[in-house]
């Protein structure tokens, strides 16, 4: 078999040329980084879980009419996606204060924000993905005004949907990061949701205990990373039947103990 061509290697994924023009294969690695690559590690099995979780969320978003790059999952670690021209902006959506927002503005972690907040970072590893304003995006032409309107509309829609999806399984969606890409049709382009949505780029807290079920476990040396990612997958109904039953049993035992 011909060796496929690697297009790009990022911190958590490798991109390969897809089988047809305009497609790409996303390979999910177990590598984890934080603080712009200053902290590095491996979370065994993370790639498999993120591949499944991202597939699930992108499929669900597609079903409500949000255009995404996702085509289909190929195997445990790979998915086929549409090739896009990535917009060099990380779109951060926040419902609850945490992380860099709390640090920057001195707002206590866990405080519900008065309204959903959208922030933008310029995607540039060498600069550490700095926070930028919409004026920077317009000034340097990273995205047009029409594209920014579309991006914010889609981000709000994704947030509303994901808040509900996670609330239904007892998880508070604190914040998350989205990336968008352009697909071209002659001289016209349109935007679709790209990259991944997984516990690597979301803050997910258990609604009852506030336990962190996301990459903050790695960033903050809390341990139990893979168990947390597994718990998210399990609650989304993505793990085999036996393991799901185990959780149901545990839940029932907990309830009995509580009574
Ligand atoms: P922050 O509080 O560190 O700015 O992160 C906000 C959210 O965005 C959090 O859920 C993690 C996610 N995120 C990424 O996915 N990639 C990044 O490079 C950064 C800085 C944040």
């Amino acid at each position: 078999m011909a060796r496929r061509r690697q297009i790009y290697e990022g911190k958590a994924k490798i991109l390969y040329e897809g089988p047809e023009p305009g497609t790409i294969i996303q390979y999910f690695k177990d590598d984890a980084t934080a603080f712009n690559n200053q902290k590095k590690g491996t979370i065994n099995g993370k790639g498999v879980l993120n591949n499944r979780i991202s597939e699930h969320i992108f499929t669900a978003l597609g079903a409500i009419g949000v255009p995404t790059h996702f085509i289909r999952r190929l195997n445990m670690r790979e998915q086929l996606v549409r090739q896009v021209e990535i917009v060099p902006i990380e779109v951060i959506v926040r419902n609850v204060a945490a992380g860099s927002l709390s640090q920057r503005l001195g707002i206590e972690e866990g405080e519900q924000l008065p309204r959903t907040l959208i922030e933008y970072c310029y995607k540039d590893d060498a600069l550490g993905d700095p926070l930028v304003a919409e004026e920077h995006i317009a000034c340097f032409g990273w995205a047009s005004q029409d594209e920014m309107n579309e991006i914010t509309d889609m981000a709000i829609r994704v947030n509303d949907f994901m808040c509900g999806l996670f609330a239904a399984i007892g998880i508070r969606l604190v914040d998350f990061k989205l990336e968008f890409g352009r697909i071209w049709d002659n001289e016209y382009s349109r935007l679709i949701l790209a990259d991944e949505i997984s516990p690597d780029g979301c803050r997910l807290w258990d609604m009852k205990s506030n336990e962190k079920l996301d990459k903050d476990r790695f960033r903050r040396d809390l341990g139990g990373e893979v168990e947390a990612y597994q718990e998210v997958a399990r609650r989304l109904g993505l793990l085999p039947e036996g393991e799901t039953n185990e959780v149901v049993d545990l839940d029932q035992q907990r309830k009995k103990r509580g009574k």
Side-chain angles (χ1 to χ4, degrees):
M1 206 174 79
R3 214 176 123 76
R4 59 191 178 177
R5 196 167 71 85
Q6 182 175 314
I7 296 173
Y8 176 78
E9 176 156 10
K11 288 179 286 222
K13 292 190 292 294
I14 304 174
L15 304 182
Y16 297 99
E17 208 168 59
E20 290 141 37
T23 64
I24 281 212
I25 294 169
Q26 283 200 143
Y27 175 96
F28 288 76
K29 299 192 283 185
D30 284 345
D31 297 351
T33 67
F35 316 116
N36 199 29
N37 231 352
Q38 286 177 51
K39 180 177 160 101
K40 289 183 196 177
T42 307
I43 304 174
N44 285 326
K46 171 174 86 79
V48 175
L49 291 161
N50 281 356
N51 187 20
R52 290 289 279 118
I53 293 169
S54 200
E55 171 196 20
H56 181 77
I57 296 175
F58 273 79
T59 304
L61 286 168
I64 62 153
V66 175
T68 83
H69 73 160
F70 183 80
I71 302 172
R72 67 175 182 277
R73 186 166 61 84
L74 297 172
N75 54 49
M76 298 273 277
R77 286 188 185 270
E78 293 177 332
Q79 50 181 244
L80 186 67
V81 300
R82 295 189 67 168
Q83 184 165 26
V84 298
E85 177 190 292
I86 208 83
V87 175
I89 297 163
E90 297 195 341
V91 179
I92 313 276
V93 183
R94 300 181 187 269
N95 300 302
V96 176
S100 69
L101 177 75
S102 291
Q103 279 185 354
R104 212 182 316 127
L105 301 180
I107 306 171
E108 198 178 336
E109 280 218 324
E111 202 171 295
Q112 183 78 35
L113 297 173
R115 44 170 283 182
T116 299
L117 184 63
I118 303 187
E119 296 177 333
Y120 308 101
C121 294
Y122 177 51
K123 258 175 81 70
D124 186 314
D125 280 343
L127 299 175
D129 298 343
L131 184 71
V132 293
E134 280 204 63
E135 280 71 14
H136 295 94
I137 298 170
C139 179
F140 299 111
W142 296 323
S144 70
Q145 191 53 56
D146 280 352
E147 285 178 327
M148 286 312 289
N149 294 341
E150 221 180 306
I151 283 175
T152 46
D153 286 353
M154 273 202 259
I156 291 291
R157 192 135 188 258
V158 170
N159 183 50
D160 286 346
F161 179 79
M162 283 194 6
C163 278
L165 179 87
F166 282 113
I169 54 170
I171 292 176
R172 196 172 178 204
L173 179 62
V174 171
D175 57 32
F176 60 97
K177 188 246 334 188
L178 295 176
E179 292 190 25
F180 293 87
R182 297 182 186 97
I183 46 174
W184 289 91
D185 188 2
N186 293 318
E187 72 267 40
Y188 294 103
S189 73
R190 65 185 183 96
L191 285 173
I192 62 176
L193 192 62
D195 194 47
E196 68 176 284
I197 300 180
S198 72
D200 267 11
C202 301
R203 284 197 175 90
L204 303 168
W205 295 357
D206 180 83
M207 274 181 167
K208 285 193 191 130
S209 65
N210 275 333
E211 192 187 350
K212 296 182 199 315
L213 301 172
D214 57 63
K215 204 168 92 177
D216 268 351
R217 300 210 72 85
F218 170 76
R219 293 190 191 98
R220 301 179 187 194
D221 295 318
L222 300 173
E225 291 91 344
V226 89
E227 290 79 4
Y229 283 52
Q230 251 167 1
E231 180 63 15
V232 174
R234 189 179 290 137
R235 289 195 201 181
L236 287 169
L238 305 177
L239 290 188
E241 203 48 38
E243 293 176 56
T244 311
N245 286 340
E246 222 175 87
V247 175
V248 174
D249 286 344
L250 277 176
D251 234 354
Q252 281 165 353
Q253 282 170 25
R254 244 182 250 141
K255 270 185 206 138
K256 270 185 202 153
R257 276 203 306 273
K259 271 182 191 159

mmCIF file of all heavy atoms in Angstrom, residues 95-96 110 112 162-174 203-214 231-232 235 254:
data_model
loop_
_atom_site.group_PDB
_atom_site.id
_atom_site.type_symbol
_atom_site.label_atom_id
_atom_site.label_comp_id
_atom_site.label_asym_id
_atom_site.label_seq_id
_atom_site.Cartn_x
_atom_site.Cartn_y
_atom_site.Cartn_z
ATOM 1 N N ASN A 95 -19.255 30.264 29.521
ATOM 2 C CA ASN A 95 -20.497 30.410 30.273
ATOM 3 C C ASN A 95 -20.223 30.690 31.747
ATOM 4 O O ASN A 95 -21.026 31.311 32.437
ATOM 5 C CB ASN A 95 -21.331 29.131 30.153
ATOM 6 C CG ASN A 95 -21.679 28.832 28.702
ATOM 7 O OD1 ASN A 95 -22.300 29.657 28.043
ATOM 8 N ND2 ASN A 95 -21.255 27.682 28.205
ATOM 9 N N VAL A 96 -19.089 30.186 32.217
ATOM 10 C CA VAL A 96 -18.721 30.266 33.631
ATOM 11 C C VAL A 96 -17.261 30.724 33.685
ATOM 12 O O VAL A 96 -16.456 30.309 32.844
ATOM 13 C CB VAL A 96 -18.860 28.852 34.277
ATOM 14 C CG1 VAL A 96 -18.387 28.841 35.721
ATOM 15 C CG2 VAL A 96 -20.293 28.332 34.180
ATOM 16 N N GLY A 110 -15.717 29.488 38.619
ATOM 17 C CA GLY A 110 -17.010 28.889 38.969
ATOM 18 C C GLY A 110 -18.135 29.895 38.970
ATOM 19 O O GLY A 110 -19.309 29.519 39.054
ATOM 20 N N GLN A 112 -20.873 32.069 37.563
ATOM 21 C CA GLN A 112 -21.657 32.090 36.326
ATOM 22 C C GLN A 112 -21.519 33.473 35.693
ATOM 23 O O GLN A 112 -21.657 34.479 36.391
ATOM 24 C CB GLN A 112 -23.128 31.805 36.685
ATOM 25 C CG GLN A 112 -24.071 31.712 35.504
ATOM 26 C CD GLN A 112 -23.963 30.371 34.775
ATOM 27 O OE1 GLN A 112 -23.745 29.336 35.406
ATOM 28 N NE2 GLN A 112 -24.102 30.394 33.463
ATOM 29 N N MET A 162 -24.669 22.517 22.928
ATOM 30 C CA MET A 162 -23.782 21.726 23.790
ATOM 31 C C MET A 162 -24.113 21.879 25.270
ATOM 32 O O MET A 162 -23.959 20.943 26.037
ATOM 33 C CB MET A 162 -22.318 22.094 23.527
ATOM 34 C CG MET A 162 -21.849 21.449 22.252
ATOM 35 S SD MET A 162 -20.102 21.410 21.946
ATOM 36 C CE MET A 162 -19.279 22.005 23.315
ATOM 37 N N CYS A 163 -24.582 23.071 25.677
ATOM 38 C CA CYS A 163 -25.004 23.241 27.077
ATOM 39 C C CYS A 163 -26.103 22.233 27.402
ATOM 40 O O CYS A 163 -26.081 21.588 28.454
ATOM 41 C CB CYS A 163 -25.545 24.656 27.322
ATOM 42 S SG CYS A 163 -24.248 25.865 27.598
ATOM 43 N N GLY A 164 -27.053 22.082 26.483
ATOM 44 C CA GLY A 164 -28.160 21.143 26.687
ATOM 45 C C GLY A 164 -27.694 19.701 26.663
ATOM 46 O O GLY A 164 -28.068 18.898 27.526
ATOM 47 N N LEU A 165 -26.835 19.401 25.684
ATOM 48 C CA LEU A 165 -26.310 18.037 25.542
ATOM 49 C C LEU A 165 -25.612 17.592 26.836
ATOM 50 O O LEU A 165 -25.836 16.496 27.345
ATOM 51 C CB LEU A 165 -25.325 18.004 24.368
ATOM 52 C CG LEU A 165 -24.634 16.690 24.041
ATOM 53 C CD1 LEU A 165 -25.492 15.856 23.107
ATOM 54 C CD2 LEU A 165 -23.273 16.933 23.373
ATOM 55 N N PHE A 166 -24.774 18.483 27.382
ATOM 56 C CA PHE A 166 -24.018 18.113 28.580
ATOM 57 C C PHE A 166 -24.885 18.200 29.847
ATOM 58 O O PHE A 166 -24.746 17.372 30.745
ATOM 59 C CB PHE A 166 -22.741 18.963 28.703
ATOM 60 C CG PHE A 166 -21.641 18.498 27.778
ATOM 61 C CD1 PHE A 166 -21.214 19.272 26.713
ATOM 62 C CD2 PHE A 166 -21.051 17.257 27.960
ATOM 63 C CE1 PHE A 166 -20.217 18.833 25.844
ATOM 64 C CE2 PHE A 166 -20.057 16.800 27.107
ATOM 65 C CZ PHE A 166 -19.637 17.590 26.039
ATOM 66 N N ALA A 167 -25.796 19.175 29.905
ATOM 67 C CA ALA A 167 -26.668 19.272 31.097
ATOM 68 C C ALA A 167 -27.465 17.982 31.251
ATOM 69 O O ALA A 167 -27.687 17.503 32.368
ATOM 70 C CB ALA A 167 -27.601 20.477 30.966
ATOM 71 N N ALA A 168 -27.870 17.406 30.129
ATOM 72 C CA ALA A 168 -28.678 16.176 30.164
ATOM 73 C C ALA A 168 -27.908 15.008 30.776
ATOM 74 O O ALA A 168 -28.509 14.031 31.216
ATOM 75 C CB ALA A 168 -29.138 15.825 28.753
ATOM 76 N N ILE A 169 -26.575 15.099 30.806
ATOM 77 C CA ILE A 169 -25.788 14.013 31.398
ATOM 78 C C ILE A 169 -25.036 14.512 32.643
ATOM 79 O O ILE A 169 -23.986 13.994 33.006
ATOM 80 C CB ILE A 169 -24.825 13.367 30.364
ATOM 81 C CG1 ILE A 169 -23.931 14.419 29.682
ATOM 82 C CG2 ILE A 169 -25.614 12.588 29.315
ATOM 83 C CD1 ILE A 169 -22.802 13.825 28.844
ATOM 84 N N GLY A 170 -25.593 15.549 33.254
ATOM 85 C CA GLY A 170 -25.065 16.014 34.541
ATOM 86 C C GLY A 170 -23.738 16.738 34.459
ATOM 87 O O GLY A 170 -22.955 16.729 35.426
ATOM 88 N N ILE A 171 -23.460 17.359 33.317
ATOM 89 C CA ILE A 171 -22.177 18.066 33.148
ATOM 90 C C ILE A 171 -22.427 19.536 32.815
ATOM 91 O O ILE A 171 -23.271 19.864 31.984
ATOM 92 C CB ILE A 171 -21.328 17.393 32.042
ATOM 93 C CG1 ILE A 171 -20.863 15.998 32.499
ATOM 94 C CG2 ILE A 171 -20.128 18.259 31.657
ATOM 95 C CD1 ILE A 171 -20.109 15.200 31.452
ATOM 96 N N ARG A 172 -21.671 20.397 33.493
ATOM 97 C CA ARG A 172 -21.759 21.835 33.248
ATOM 98 C C ARG A 172 -20.706 22.208 32.207
ATOM 99 O O ARG A 172 -19.513 21.932 32.405
ATOM 100 C CB ARG A 172 -21.464 22.527 34.575
ATOM 101 C CG ARG A 172 -21.851 23.965 34.675
ATOM 102 C CD ARG A 172 -21.650 24.357 36.134
ATOM 103 N NE ARG A 172 -21.956 25.753 36.342
ATOM 104 C CZ ARG A 172 -21.461 26.468 37.325
ATOM 105 N NH1 ARG A 172 -20.629 25.920 38.208
ATOM 106 N NH2 ARG A 172 -21.793 27.728 37.472
ATOM 107 N N LEU A 173 -21.161 22.821 31.125
ATOM 108 C CA LEU A 173 -20.231 23.269 30.082
ATOM 109 C C LEU A 173 -19.718 24.652 30.476
ATOM 110 O O LEU A 173 -20.395 25.658 30.295
ATOM 111 C CB LEU A 173 -20.937 23.314 28.720
ATOM 112 C CG LEU A 173 -20.091 23.781 27.542
ATOM 113 C CD1 LEU A 173 -18.914 22.856 27.274
ATOM 114 C CD2 LEU A 173 -20.956 23.900 26.279
ATOM 115 N N VAL A 174 -18.520 24.685 31.014
ATOM 116 C CA VAL A 174 -17.933 25.926 31.537
ATOM 117 C C VAL A 174 -17.437 26.809 30.391
ATOM 118 O O VAL A 174 -17.807 27.974 30.286
ATOM 119 C CB VAL A 174 -16.788 25.577 32.521
ATOM 120 C CG1 VAL A 174 -16.003 26.815 32.911
ATOM 121 C CG2 VAL A 174 -17.361 24.881 33.745
ATOM 122 N N ARG A 203 -14.009 22.917 29.051
ATOM 123 C CA ARG A 203 -14.027 22.674 30.495
ATOM 124 C C ARG A 203 -15.380 22.071 30.828
ATOM 125 O O ARG A 203 -16.423 22.666 30.525
ATOM 126 C CB ARG A 203 -13.784 23.949 31.303
ATOM 127 C CG ARG A 203 -12.334 24.359 31.305
ATOM 128 C CD ARG A 203 -11.973 25.352 32.409
ATOM 129 N NE ARG A 203 -10.531 25.584 32.400
ATOM 130 C CZ ARG A 203 -9.941 26.536 31.688
ATOM 131 N NH1 ARG A 203 -10.654 27.372 30.962
ATOM 132 N NH2 ARG A 203 -8.628 26.674 31.708
ATOM 133 N N LEU A 204 -15.350 20.889 31.425
ATOM 134 C CA LEU A 204 -16.565 20.129 31.715
ATOM 135 C C LEU A 204 -16.542 19.764 33.195
ATOM 136 O O LEU A 204 -15.634 19.063 33.636
ATOM 137 C CB LEU A 204 -16.582 18.848 30.855
ATOM 138 C CG LEU A 204 -16.478 19.050 29.330
ATOM 139 C CD1 LEU A 204 -16.212 17.722 28.621
ATOM 140 C CD2 LEU A 204 -17.746 19.689 28.783
ATOM 141 N N TRP A 205 -17.500 20.279 33.946
ATOM 142 C CA TRP A 205 -17.530 20.006 35.389
ATOM 143 C C TRP A 205 -18.761 19.183 35.733
ATOM 144 O O TRP A 205 -19.873 19.497 35.264
ATOM 145 C CB TRP A 205 -17.593 21.321 36.185
ATOM 146 C CG TRP A 205 -16.376 22.193 36.053
ATOM 147 C CD1 TRP A 205 -15.231 21.926 35.363
ATOM 148 C CD2 TRP A 205 -16.202 23.502 36.628
ATOM 149 N NE1 TRP A 205 -14.353 22.984 35.472
ATOM 150 C CE2 TRP A 205 -14.924 23.965 36.241
ATOM 151 C CE3 TRP A 205 -17.000 24.329 37.431
ATOM 152 C CZ2 TRP A 205 -14.425 25.213 36.624
ATOM 153 C CZ3 TRP A 205 -16.505 25.569 37.806
ATOM 154 C CH2 TRP A 205 -15.226 25.995 37.415
ATOM 155 N N ASP A 206 -18.568 18.180 36.580
ATOM 156 C CA ASP A 206 -19.722 17.427 37.055
ATOM 157 C C ASP A 206 -20.649 18.392 37.800
ATOM 158 O O ASP A 206 -20.187 19.185 38.628
ATOM 159 C CB ASP A 206 -19.266 16.298 37.988
ATOM 160 C CG ASP A 206 -20.438 15.497 38.503
ATOM 161 O OD1 ASP A 206 -20.883 14.603 37.780
ATOM 162 O OD2 ASP A 206 -20.929 15.812 39.611
ATOM 163 N N MET A 207 -21.945 18.323 37.479
ATOM 164 C CA MET A 207 -22.868 19.320 38.043
ATOM 165 C C MET A 207 -23.023 19.212 39.547
ATOM 166 O O MET A 207 -23.247 20.210 40.219
ATOM 167 C CB MET A 207 -24.241 19.167 37.399
ATOM 168 C CG MET A 207 -24.337 19.939 36.109
ATOM 169 S SD MET A 207 -25.966 19.760 35.426
ATOM 170 C CE MET A 207 -25.901 21.047 34.205
ATOM 171 N N LYS A 208 -22.920 17.986 40.073
ATOM 172 C CA LYS A 208 -23.125 17.829 41.516
ATOM 173 C C LYS A 208 -21.843 18.094 42.293
ATOM 174 O O LYS A 208 -21.835 18.850 43.249
ATOM 175 C CB LYS A 208 -23.621 16.410 41.818
ATOM 176 C CG LYS A 208 -25.081 16.216 41.431
ATOM 177 C CD LYS A 208 -25.629 14.940 42.026
ATOM 178 C CE LYS A 208 -26.987 14.627 41.403
ATOM 179 N NZ LYS A 208 -27.054 13.246 40.924
ATOM 180 N N SER A 209 -20.746 17.471 41.854
ATOM 181 C CA SER A 209 -19.523 17.527 42.669
ATOM 182 C C SER A 209 -18.560 18.617 42.206
ATOM 183 O O SER A 209 -17.573 18.884 42.887
ATOM 184 C CB SER A 209 -18.806 16.179 42.578
ATOM 185 O OG SER A 209 -18.376 15.966 41.241
ATOM 186 N N ASN A 210 -18.805 19.220 41.027
ATOM 187 C CA ASN A 210 -17.879 20.175 40.399
ATOM 188 C C ASN A 210 -16.558 19.539 39.971
ATOM 189 O O ASN A 210 -15.605 20.238 39.634
ATOM 190 C CB ASN A 210 -17.583 21.371 41.306
ATOM 191 C CG ASN A 210 -18.650 22.431 41.164
ATOM 192 O OD1 ASN A 210 -19.296 22.540 40.128
ATOM 193 N ND2 ASN A 210 -18.864 23.193 42.224
ATOM 194 N N GLU A 211 -16.497 18.202 40.018
ATOM 195 C CA GLU A 211 -15.270 17.517 39.598
ATOM 196 C C GLU A 211 -14.951 17.858 38.142
ATOM 197 O O GLU A 211 -15.855 17.928 37.309
ATOM 198 C CB GLU A 211 -15.478 16.002 39.735
ATOM 199 C CG GLU A 211 -14.210 15.223 39.606
ATOM 200 C CD GLU A 211 -14.455 13.714 39.567
ATOM 201 O OE1 GLU A 211 -15.596 13.299 39.826
ATOM 202 O OE2 GLU A 211 -13.506 12.994 39.263
ATOM 203 N N LYS A 212 -13.672 18.070 37.870
ATOM 204 C CA LYS A 212 -13.257 18.437 36.515
ATOM 205 C C LYS A 212 -13.128 17.190 35.646
ATOM 206 O O LYS A 212 -12.420 16.244 36.019
ATOM 207 C CB LYS A 212 -11.926 19.184 36.555
ATOM 208 C CG LYS A 212 -12.011 20.518 37.283
ATOM 209 C CD LYS A 212 -10.689 21.237 37.242
ATOM 210 C CE LYS A 212 -10.574 22.317 38.299
ATOM 211 N NZ LYS A 212 -11.724 23.179 38.450
ATOM 212 N N LEU A 213 -13.793 17.217 34.490
ATOM 213 C CA LEU A 213 -13.784 16.051 33.590
ATOM 214 C C LEU A 213 -13.144 16.434 32.254
ATOM 215 O O LEU A 213 -13.660 16.127 31.190
ATOM 216 C CB LEU A 213 -15.227 15.559 33.371
ATOM 217 C CG LEU A 213 -15.997 15.146 34.635
ATOM 218 C CD1 LEU A 213 -17.466 14.861 34.320
ATOM 219 C CD2 LEU A 213 -15.350 13.914 35.275
ATOM 220 N N ASP A 214 -12.014 17.132 32.322
ATOM 221 C CA ASP A 214 -11.405 17.682 31.098
ATOM 222 C C ASP A 214 -9.896 17.845 31.267
ATOM 223 O O ASP A 214 -9.334 17.399 32.269
ATOM 224 C CB ASP A 214 -12.050 19.045 30.791
ATOM 225 C CG ASP A 214 -11.889 19.974 31.979
ATOM 226 O OD1 ASP A 214 -10.745 20.303 32.329
ATOM 227 O OD2 ASP A 214 -12.902 20.361 32.605
ATOM 228 N N GLU A 231 -15.254 8.974 31.501
ATOM 229 C CA GLU A 231 -16.531 9.275 32.148
ATOM 230 C C GLU A 231 -17.415 10.128 31.210
ATOM 231 O O GLU A 231 -18.618 9.886 31.098
ATOM 232 C CB GLU A 231 -16.276 9.995 33.477
ATOM 233 C CG GLU A 231 -17.503 10.382 34.277
ATOM 234 C CD GLU A 231 -18.353 9.202 34.742
ATOM 235 O OE1 GLU A 231 -17.882 8.054 34.695
ATOM 236 O OE2 GLU A 231 -19.509 9.438 35.132
ATOM 237 N N VAL A 232 -16.774 11.079 30.532
ATOM 238 C CA VAL A 232 -17.532 11.900 29.564
ATOM 239 C C VAL A 232 -18.075 11.000 28.452
ATOM 240 O O VAL A 232 -19.265 11.045 28.123
ATOM 241 C CB VAL A 232 -16.639 13.026 28.981
ATOM 242 C CG1 VAL A 232 -17.369 13.771 27.873
ATOM 243 C CG2 VAL A 232 -16.205 13.996 30.074
ATOM 244 N N ARG A 235 -20.907 8.765 29.753
ATOM 245 C CA ARG A 235 -22.188 9.468 29.953
ATOM 246 C C ARG A 235 -22.838 9.824 28.617
ATOM 247 O O ARG A 235 -24.060 9.935 28.526
ATOM 248 C CB ARG A 235 -21.980 10.739 30.784
ATOM 249 C CG ARG A 235 -21.655 10.431 32.230
ATOM 250 C CD ARG A 235 -21.832 11.677 33.069
ATOM 251 N NE ARG A 235 -21.086 11.584 34.306
ATOM 252 C CZ ARG A 235 -21.078 12.532 35.234
ATOM 253 N NH1 ARG A 235 -21.754 13.647 35.052
ATOM 254 N NH2 ARG A 235 -20.377 12.387 36.338
ATOM 255 N N ARG A 254 -25.004 4.493 44.584
ATOM 256 C CA ARG A 254 -24.861 5.820 45.183
ATOM 257 C C ARG A 254 -26.206 6.325 45.698
ATOM 258 O O ARG A 254 -26.311 6.853 46.791
ATOM 259 C CB ARG A 254 -24.310 6.798 44.133
ATOM 260 C CG ARG A 254 -22.956 7.344 44.488
ATOM 261 C CD ARG A 254 -22.490 8.336 43.458
ATOM 262 N NE ARG A 254 -21.389 7.811 42.677
ATOM 263 C CZ ARG A 254 -21.201 7.984 41.373
ATOM 264 N NH1 ARG A 254 -22.062 8.656 40.660
ATOM 265 N NH2 ARG A 254 -20.158 7.486 40.757
#
